[in-house]
Amino acid sequence: GLEWRVPVRVLADGAWTGLGDEDPYRDSILAVRELLANPDLYGVPAVLASVGEALESPLIGNSLSSLLRLQAAPSEEETLLRAAQASIVADLVSSVTLGLANQPDEVFAELEGRAQNETLDAVVRILQDVLADCGGGIVEDIAFIAGGALGQALPGLITSPPVQEILARPASELVEGIRSHPTLEQDVATVAVRTLLYNPHVPTPCLRLDQTKCVPYDVLFGDTRGEDAAELLDFLEEAATLEPEELNFTTALGIRSSVGELITEEVAAQLGFVDLGADLLSLVSRDMLNDTREILRDIAYVDPPSDAAVRTLYNLGNGTLEVAMEAALSEEHGYSVSTAVCLANASAAMYEDPGLMDAWLEGLGLAPVGEVDDLPGGAGRAWVGLGPGGDQVVLSIEGTPYIQSGLIRGAIGWYEDLVSSRPQQYDPECSPDFADPAGLCSAAGVTGNRFAEQYASVYEEAIEALLREALEQASPEPALYITGHSLGAAMATHAFLRVILSGLGDRFSGVHGYVFAAPGLGEETFTDFVNQVADSGGGKYSLFSHRNFYDEVPRLPPSRAVETPAAGVVLGLDHLEQSLRQVGPGDVPHNLPSNIKMPFLGYHSVLAQYLPFLRAVQNGAEGCELGCDTSQCGPFKCPDTCEGALQ
């Protein structure tokens, strides 16, 4: 059968995940390669020996140390290519989520209880389950990436009787051996600190939060970095005297043994979230346990191989894909694929640096009115502009910022995504200016989630001000188009609601939402409410929600049932039938076929998936140039326009 793997040209294009040399995933893989290439410099053999002793199997630790010393690490370029082709991130996510989903209730209780010993027991038990199944492909991935002596020996070592005997022991017994070992903690701390000091793929560390003790670059990257033992000892000695609240986050990981509490407290302090620990722990709390476990199980499994899905990816990558659109979408619902292409571009542009974003939007024929980019908590940006001729207003909201291009904003964005799963009663809060002919303002029993609170507290006031300014500049009664991708799609859906319920929608000739890959917005009562609002305008309002059947994000957050529908008219990007069609009640999300080695969230990409798939309904890749995103390459840079696409 056919198989799809990350193309070699991803690396030739300098786009490990489409974002070049600043990608932390790329840096993480190269940082691990550096550890394996220079194990003695970083003290890795000492850790392996101590782990072997702690587990009462010193032969295993010594064997791994010997293999590392024999290992000839592949070049950086070859390591990156092998990592991409192995799809290790997708396999890791699949194995860990499945391992978590298969745990008994007491494991979740241990994680929720926050007792240090119990939490470590739970983590070790999950790792045991993952490795007992040979890592669900992770061990094979690591062996393939490492190559050489280590790659040849690793699968056999994991399946050997001594290792399998360790994996079969009670987790509490293993944890006790680890905790009671006299030098393991210090050995691990030494590796961590030497990594901070000497690994060129790890950011330069500062010892104190106030940045007053930083390791100089000449120590990190100079020719004598392996000889700076005195600097390392000074670093360790000063770290040992500091209070936890004085430590830099990365230093705390390497120095302190009770890192669980420090991680929670330190991240919360740096990001400004006082409830971080409670938020994250609530994700596995008992009131969410059943739904969470079901979704984790569902996402973790793969489907049987599909030659049709592979052909779609290859055709997408070479610009020859042809997609049929269901006629009822335009005839019955007023959907326009040219509008979808225009607004998918506007959504994609929001992820870029300001200069590129402005040029991209201007190239579409959109004129800026204003932008909000200094939102609380580093939230995604919002942009408002005029369509060609000034007869339309466009509102585009950024999705979760790429961690690669902005670590803090990206981390905050993913944090918000995680905690958004908390169910909340939805209050329409209608304005007196909204006529409410259908009695929507008195709706009760509508359950959404925290996205509504996030939009109201972060975006609503600023966006309303920009829309009022746009109304002053646009033609009389312009049409309003609202768009966003991922978290931006969730915010765009709430913007659609608030514009109408506030009465501001009456000043537009129409309010139309085109959103892409939106996560779950709440229970079915909420999506029903959104649809009632969309239907209340007698054709003046419309909401179209696009979802790729292989995209994981529309199936999240994990506190809701998998089959909960998206809001509006839901359009499915069907890779098996190569069609764009309305999603019906009997449709279920597809899991990744086993013969497609797509990176995690590869099918979520607006640039490499949603945009080229929609273009294939129109004129395909005519006039397009090569581009890469999320480890996929193809004719993705196209001369799209909003001219004539917004009516």
Side-chain angles (χ1 to χ4, degrees):
L2 301 177
E3 185 177 66
W4 188 92
R5 288 183 180 270
V6 173
V8 175
R9 59 184 171 181
V10 168
L11 296 177
D13 191 63
W16 158 236
T17 61
L19 293 159
D21 291 339
E22 299 303 319
D23 186 348
Y25 300 110
R26 174 186 183 277
D27 288 340
S28 297
I29 288 169
L30 292 181
V32 174
R33 178 199 172 276
E34 166 72 10
L35 284 174
L36 298 180
N38 300 285
D40 290 306
L41 169 63
Y42 295 99
V44 175
V47 171
L48 294 175
S50 295
V51 169
E53 293 169 0
L55 300 179
E56 300 179 356
S57 296
L59 181 60
I60 293 175
N62 293 333
S63 298
L64 283 172
S65 296
S66 299
L67 287 172
L68 285 181
R69 291 191 172 104
L70 292 172
Q71 175 75 0
S75 68
E76 291 189 354
E77 292 76 14
E78 187 176 359
T79 300
L80 289 174
L81 178 58
R82 290 183 179 188
Q85 292 181 328
S87 192
I88 189 170
V89 176
D91 288 342
L92 180 62
V93 171
S94 175
S95 295
V96 172
T97 52
L98 186 58
L100 183 61
N102 288 333
Q103 297 306 310
D105 289 351
E106 55 264 27
V107 172
F108 287 83
E110 290 166 3
L111 289 169
E112 186 182 7
R114 302 188 71 183
Q116 189 175 349
N117 288 340
E118 291 180 345
T119 300
L120 188 54
D121 287 356
V123 171
V124 169
R125 192 176 293 119
I126 293 169
L127 290 176
Q128 284 179 290
D129 286 354
V130 169
L131 291 175
D133 188 29
C134 227
I138 296 174
V139 174
E140 288 83 356
D141 290 344
I142 295 173
F144 174 71
I145 295 168
L150 180 62
Q152 293 178 16
L154 189 58
L157 181 63
I158 295 296
T159 56
S160 67
V163 172
Q164 291 300 307
E165 187 274 328
I166 292 173
L167 296 176
R169 292 184 206 166
S172 58
E173 179 183 323
L174 299 180
V175 170
E176 178 58 31
I178 292 170
R179 289 193 176 281
S180 61
H181 192 276
T183 64
L184 178 57
E185 180 182 320
Q186 183 59 43
D187 292 337
V188 172
T190 299
V191 171
V193 174
R194 288 184 179 179
T195 299
L196 292 171
L197 281 170
Y198 304 136
N199 196 316
H201 303 290
V202 174
T204 306
C206 292
L207 183 60
R208 293 180 180 273
L209 284 175
D210 61 10
Q211 312 295 301
T212 58
K213 174 66 175 176
C214 297
V215 181
Y217 272 93
D218 59 348
V219 172
L220 280 166
F221 304 120
D223 293 336
T224 60
R225 60 179 179 157
E227 302 171 7
D228 293 302
E231 184 77 20
L232 174 61
L233 290 174
D234 290 344
F235 192 85
L236 285 167
E237 288 173 3
E238 181 165 356
T241 66
L242 294 178
E243 295 299 322
E245 60 270 16
E246 296 180 288
L247 280 170
N248 175 279
F249 172 54
T250 51
T251 308
L253 290 180
I255 300 298
R256 299 293 178 175
S257 58
S258 303
V259 295
E261 291 292 329
L262 273 176
I263 291 172
T264 300
E265 294 170 6
E266 193 62 40
V267 172
Q270 293 202 23
L271 301 187
F273 292 116
V274 295
D275 293 329
L276 178 66
D279 285 339
L280 297 181
L281 287 165
S282 74
L283 296 176
V284 292
S285 62
R286 276 183 282 259
D287 62 325
M288 296 184 181
L289 182 57
N290 292 330
D291 283 345
T292 301
R293 189 177 295 171
E294 279 302 311
I295 288 189
L296 290 174
R297 281 201 185 102
D298 194 71
I299 291 177
Y301 287 113
V302 295
D303 280 351
S306 168
D307 287 353
V310 172
R311 290 191 188 96
T312 298
L313 285 177
Y314 278 120
N315 290 337
L316 202 66
N318 60 32
T320 60
L321 181 66
E322 295 181 2
V323 173
M325 187 178 80
E326 190 176 61
L329 291 174
S330 56
E331 295 172 359
E332 298 179 15
H333 301 291
Y335 174 81
S336 166
V337 71
S338 60
T339 303
V341 170
C342 160
L343 296 176
N345 271 277
S347 295
M350 298 301 296
Y351 290 107
E352 304 297 340
D353 291 335
L356 179 55
M357 181 192 77
D358 292 340
W360 192 337
L361 294 169
E362 182 180 348
L364 292 170
L366 304 178
V369 170
E371 175 188 350
V372 181
D373 60 1
D374 189 23
L375 296 168
R381 300 168 293 187
W383 182 93
V384 172
L386 302 182
D391 295 327
Q392 309 89 19
V393 174
V394 175
L395 164 62
S396 186
I397 303 177
E398 183 184 13
T400 302
Y402 283 133
I403 289 182
Q404 292 94 321
S405 58
L407 178 61
I408 298 300
R409 290 180 65 241
I412 294 172
W414 280 106
Y415 163 81
E416 289 289 357
D417 291 352
L418 286 170
V419 301
S420 67
S421 58
R422 290 179 174 177
Q424 287 186 345
Q425 290 297 114
Y426 181 75
D427 183 357
E429 295 186 8
C430 298
S431 165
D433 296 331
F434 178 59
D436 193 21
L440 296 171
C441 297
S442 57
V446 177
T447 302
N449 56 25
R450 236 179 73 165
F451 283 141
E453 177 186 319
Q454 186 179 354
Y455 181 81
S457 62
V458 174
Y459 290 94
E460 184 167 8
E461 183 177 347
I463 284 177
E464 182 175 329
L466 285 176
L467 292 178
R468 292 187 182 279
E469 184 177 346
L471 283 166
E472 298 298 320
Q473 300 180 27
S475 304
E477 293 193 28
L480 172 62
Y481 290 87
I482 303 173
T483 190
H485 170 261
S486 194
L487 178 61
M491 296 298 102
T493 304
H494 280 284
F496 175 84
L497 273 181
R498 293 307 309 151
V499 165
I500 296 171
L501 297 178
S502 69
L504 185 60
D506 293 338
R507 298 187 59 183
F508 295 95
S509 62
V511 180
H512 309 289
Y514 280 69
V515 300
F516 307 90
L521 300 170
E523 295 182 359
E524 192 168 356
T525 55
F526 181 79
T527 54
D528 287 344
F529 177 78
V530 176
N531 295 337
Q532 291 172 30
V533 172
D535 293 339
S536 69
K540 181 179 177 179
Y541 311 136
S542 61
L543 177 63
F544 299 101
S545 181
H546 302 74
R547 62 176 302 172
N548 189 329
F549 279 121
Y550 287 125
D551 189 350
E552 298 94 342
V553 170
R555 303 156 74 176
L556 302 172
S559 64
R560 62 184 185 89
V562 175
E563 64 272 17
T564 299
V569 178
V570 185
L571 292 81
L573 281 63
D574 193 329
H575 279 237
L576 299 180
E577 298 180 3
Q578 297 183 351
S579 66
L580 180 67
R581 60 184 177 82
Q582 186 172 358
V583 175
D587 286 309
V588 295
H590 304 325
N591 290 319
L592 196 67
S594 59
N595 58 337
I596 292 179
K597 306 302 180 182
M598 176 70 74
F600 183 60
L601 297 183
Y603 277 105
H604 185 58
S605 169
V606 65
L607 275 176
Q609 284 287 322
Y610 285 84
L611 255 174
F613 199 95
L614 292 169
R615 289 191 193 106
V617 179
Q618 283 186 308
N619 56 3
E622 183 179 339
C624 298
E625 300 175 6
L626 179 68
C628 295
D629 187 75
T630 325
S631 294
Q632 301 165 79
C633 289
F636 300 152
K637 297 180 179 179
C638 302
D640 298 325
T641 180
C642 292
E643 188 76 42
L646 304 176
Q647 303 298 327

